[in-house]
Amino acid sequence: MEPTRRTKIKDLLETTGDGRSVLCKGWVRTKRGNKNVAFIALNDGSTINNIQIVVDVASFDENLLKNITTGASLAVKGSLVVSQGSGQGVEIQASDIEIYGTADPETYPLQKKGHTLEFLREIAHLRPRTNTFGAVLRVRHALAFAIHNYFNSKGFVYLHTPLITGSDAEGAGAMFQVTTLDLKNVPMTEDGKVDYSRDFFGKSCNLTVSGQLEGELGATALSEIYTFGPTFRAENSNTPRHLAEFWMIEPEMAFYDIEDNMDLAEDFLKYLIKYALEHCADDIAFLCKMYDNELIDRLNFVVNNDFVRLRYSEGIEILEKSGHKFEFPVSWGLDLQSEHERYLVEQHFKKPVILTDYPKEIKAFYMKQNDDGKTVRAMDVLFPKIGEIIGGSQREESYDKLAARIAELGIPEKDVWWYLDTRRFGSVPHSGFGLGFERLVLFVTGMSNIRDVIPFPRTPKSAEF
Ligand code: ATP
Ligand code: MN
């Protein structure tokens, strides 16, 4: 019987070659062979593995075969049989081949293998067709799914916080302005300022740098919420760990103190890594082989070991005593750079570290103030190769202390009055954190540049695709 429905390659490769008729569709990765027989490696993105199509040259039109080149898209009918060659269980003995679209070998940019990641960034519109990006994007998907799975199973509510914000008190980084004003003819007030009352929202607005403040509004009603959405930071930092548009997961929990917060962060990260190891074994094995030989060991190590929990002050002491020469010299009060974070994790403890109780000057206004008057109940989770992967804290629940800090920092009341209402009415101890999704994907895939773990990276001077 002629099959009319396509079977995905992943599913074909998981079955046995019993000679039944199958229909399979995908893009040609390679074609080789001789004048009698051709072997086509076909991939449809359902798995890193290709299925081999065996073509009896004599039974097909010469022109058709000539047009089957790397990158061309095909529909293939044939019988699924036990593979003669080694390396895979089944292959398709082709009876019918239809070319959907050719890919001219002279101009198709992925004609040859082994392009650098830098080159592939310049053709980000085509790079999903490579093995590397197929693997990364499947892992990214699995992690996103696992995140929802984790929180859903714990009764957290997925809260959709706004991407356009009228508050510039989030304080996590420089913002992108959102406006419909005519930039060639900006309305001005009498005292020479931009007249935002004439703008779309009637006030100055930006893209959000974090959903946390709104997340707290949800948590102080629903107990446990999480956000998972894009955030935007106009930081002009061209590092391998920063994007201008990235995705963040921000759980926020009523009745959690900082210990509960750390327990959740550690359990969450371990769950996600374990999930990826179980569900993306082929992709992770490929990335391990190609980019980072220690990847699988590192992932297992994180899953199987307790994170070190340490105060910022103790961390500073260790760094000072290390004798290591840092680009940014270490002293109490320093906002730790990635070099310091990685020293603690990779050289000193050789384990993930949760650093707590940072100086209040280098942390946001909403963090719970410790009794020493100098530090706040912050917690950053530091990972090997990445540095900071999570930033969080217990939040200040006292209206008076929070209002005092807001005044001290000169944050206008008009920007935060609604936030302060959570402390005015039914205030509770609560905590939360932000996990940078791309930093997680970096860690799990072993890639080293954040531009290579998001389909279409947004960085300074780069927003083509
Ligand atoms: P960093 O010091 O690395 O710039 P941050 O202190 O600005 O980070 P937070 O404001 O605490 O970070 O944001 C929470 C999390 O979001 C971070 O732990 C990190 O995983 C991620 N993150 C922050 N900025 C970026 C960025 N520009 N691109 C990608 N991920 C980011
Ligand atoms: Mn930052």
Side-chain angles (χ1 to χ4, degrees):
M1 212 184 65
E2 284 285 284
T4 50
R5 296 182 81 200
R6 160 191 174 227
T7 310
K8 288 196 182 193
I9 290 171
K10 178 174 192 283
D11 298 328
L12 289 176
L13 293 176
E14 281 167 5
T15 56
T16 46
D18 54 5
R20 72 184 186 281
S21 294
V22 295
L23 169 62
C24 138
K25 302 181 178 186
W27 294 266
V28 176
R29 282 294 160 78
T30 57
K31 187 179 82 175
R32 59 190 179 81
N34 53 43
K35 63 181 190 316
N36 300 318
V37 59
F39 301 100
I40 301 166
L42 201 69
N43 189 282
D44 66 0
S46 61
T47 159
I48 186 92
N49 301 306
N50 305 323
I51 193 154
Q52 173 155 284
I53 314 290
V54 183
V55 184
D56 175 19
V57 171
S59 336
F60 286 87
D61 177 57
E62 198 181 322
N63 265 324
L64 178 110
L65 293 185
K66 213 176 64 202
N67 280 322
I68 298 177
T69 56
T70 297
S73 47
L74 311 179
V76 177
K77 276 183 196 163
S79 48
L80 191 72
V81 297
V82 176
S83 179
Q84 305 296 309
S86 62
Q88 52 184 351
V90 294
E91 61 191 22
I92 296 176
Q93 195 75 50
S95 56
D96 241 311
I97 300 179
E98 179 190 344
I99 299 180
Y100 283 127
T102 56
D104 182 356
E106 296 297 317
T107 50
Y108 182 53
L110 295 172
Q111 172 64 26
K112 286 201 281 308
K113 281 184 153 186
H115 291 299
T116 64
L117 293 170
E118 287 77 10
F119 172 75
L120 292 176
R121 266 171 234 149
E122 289 167 20
I123 51 162
H125 61 303
L126 291 174
R127 68 179 183 171
R129 296 192 190 186
T130 61
N131 285 333
T132 297
F133 284 89
V136 168
L137 293 176
R138 280 184 299 271
V139 171
R140 186 180 164 105
H141 159 76
L143 287 169
F145 181 80
I147 285 162
H148 288 298
N149 218 16
Y150 180 85
F151 286 126
N152 183 55
S153 74
K154 287 190 168 319
F156 283 56
V157 172
Y158 180 24
L159 187 75
H160 297 103
T161 51
L163 301 191
I164 298 174
T165 173
S167 139
D168 51 15
E170 287 164 353
M175 299 176 111
F176 289 101
Q177 197 174 348
V178 177
T179 181
T180 53
L181 292 178
D182 179 0
L183 294 184
K184 289 196 280 312
N185 186 18
V186 177
M188 304 297 279
T189 59
E190 274 168 16
D191 49 353
K193 298 205 175 92
V194 175
D195 184 2
Y196 284 110
S197 71
R198 313 245 305 263
D199 204 348
F200 189 91
F201 296 105
K203 62 184 296 198
S204 151
C205 281
N206 296 292
L207 292 178
T208 187
V209 293
S210 155
Q212 182 202 317
L213 301 189
E214 294 89 350
E216 288 185 50
L217 305 178
T220 50
L222 300 158
S223 291
E224 291 160 322
I225 65 94
Y226 69 106
T227 72
F228 184 3
T231 48
F232 307 86
R233 296 188 186 180
E235 38 195 13
N236 209 346
S237 49
N238 255 310
T239 82
R241 295 176 321 282
H242 289 89
L243 291 164
E245 176 181 289
F246 65 100
W247 288 63
M248 186 141 65
I249 301 100
E250 296 181 277
E252 192 69 37
M253 299 77 62
F255 318 116
Y256 276 51
D257 65 14
I258 189 146
E259 297 294 328
D260 303 323
N261 203 18
M262 287 192 276
D263 290 346
L264 181 76
E266 182 167 345
D267 185 60
F268 179 47
L269 287 168
K270 286 178 172 171
Y271 170 86
L272 296 176
I273 295 166
K274 215 186 307 174
Y275 185 94
L277 281 166
E278 277 167 21
H279 292 82
C280 309
D282 288 353
D283 290 322
I284 291 176
F286 171 82
L287 294 164
C288 186
K289 188 178 82 191
M290 298 297 289
Y291 295 101
D292 181 350
N293 292 321
E294 288 157 19
L295 176 61
I296 294 176
D297 290 341
R298 192 181 313 116
L299 296 178
N300 279 313
F301 184 80
V302 168
V303 168
N304 294 323
N305 283 281
D306 289 341
F307 298 2
V308 174
R309 298 181 182 191
L310 187 77
R311 290 203 176 78
Y312 168 90
S313 300
E314 299 169 88
I316 290 290
E317 243 171 72
I318 291 170
L319 292 170
E320 281 175 335
K321 287 190 187 141
S322 70
H324 188 88
K325 256 220 156 329
F326 294 106
E327 195 187 327
F328 293 86
V330 178
S331 65
W332 200 93
L334 171 77
D335 194 359
L336 295 186
Q337 303 293 315
S338 161
E339 56 169 340
H340 309 116
E341 297 170 343
R342 293 185 59 178
Y343 181 88
L344 288 174
V345 172
E346 292 165 24
Q347 312 289 323
H348 190 82
F349 289 107
K350 301 189 164 55
K351 274 185 186 184
V353 173
I354 310 183
L355 215 54
T356 61
D357 302 289
Y358 283 71
K360 66 177 186 205
E361 279 74 24
I362 58 172
K363 289 293 180 186
F365 72 90
Y366 47 72
M367 296 193 180
K368 185 172 173 65
Q369 299 161 29
N370 282 322
D371 293 337
D372 63 11
K374 293 198 310 209
T375 59
V376 289
R377 220 158 279 179
M379 53 160 243
D380 282 7
V381 181
L382 314 179
F383 258 30
K385 275 191 80 176
I386 308 286
E388 179 187 335
I389 193 163
I390 279 181
S393 73
Q394 185 168 340
R395 318 306 189 191
E396 181 55 70
E397 81 262 26
S398 148
Y399 176 86
D400 291 339
K401 286 188 184 168
L402 186 60
R405 186 70 182 140
I406 285 172
E408 199 176 0
L409 292 170
I411 299 170
E413 174 89 15
K414 71 166 178 42
D415 284 339
V416 288
W417 64 271
W418 51 270
Y419 180 71
L420 278 165
D421 267 5
T422 54
R423 276 63 165 181
R424 248 182 223 118
F425 309 115
S427 186
V428 289
H430 65 289
S431 300
F433 61 79
L435 166 65
F437 186 50
E438 284 74 20
R439 299 231 180 135
L440 173 72
V441 183
L442 264 182
F443 184 72
V444 174
T445 58
M447 302 300 283
S448 40
N449 193 312
I450 200 163
R451 292 165 180 78
D452 298 331
V453 296
I454 186 165
F456 307 104
R458 296 286 175 265
T459 52
K461 300 277 181 290
S462 167
E464 177 79 10
F465 309 100

